[in-house]
Amino acid sequence: MARFTGHVRCSDLEGGVLQLEAEDGNIYELEGEVDEKFVGQRVAIEGSVDRNAMSFSMTGPRLMVRAVSSV
């Protein structure tokens, strides 16, 4: 399990996709339970990246979210 920090944003693509604009410059598509109250906030996410997963939006590697907290 790794920790990622950055800002949560919502893309309008494919009806709405939550993403993490990480401090390392990457953009991850969030997969799992992420409350929309975190949109626009700086957060820390515990999870793992599945670079082999595919999705309809294909906005970046999928970050499988285990836990989210405000920073």
Side-chain angles (χ1 to χ4, degrees):
M1 205 65 42
R3 183 177 174 171
F4 302 83
T5 55
H7 288 85
V8 174
R9 66 184 191 185
C10 185
S11 168
D12 291 336
L13 189 63
E14 293 294 328
V17 175
L18 291 181
Q19 301 170 312
L20 178 70
E21 187 173 337
E23 291 177 348
D24 65 6
N26 289 314
I27 295 177
Y28 299 95
E29 181 179 337
L30 299 178
E31 175 69 26
E33 296 295 319
V34 179
D35 195 311
E36 289 191 12
K37 72 179 182 181
F38 290 114
V39 172
Q41 293 188 25
R42 184 169 180 262
V43 298
I45 294 179
E46 290 183 33
S48 59
V49 176
D50 184 352
R51 295 191 184 275
N52 296 318
M54 296 183 72
S55 72
F56 289 107
S57 59
M58 297 299 293
T59 60
R62 292 184 83 172
L63 177 54
M64 310 308 282
V65 176
R66 183 165 194 129
V68 182
S69 59
S70 294
V71 177

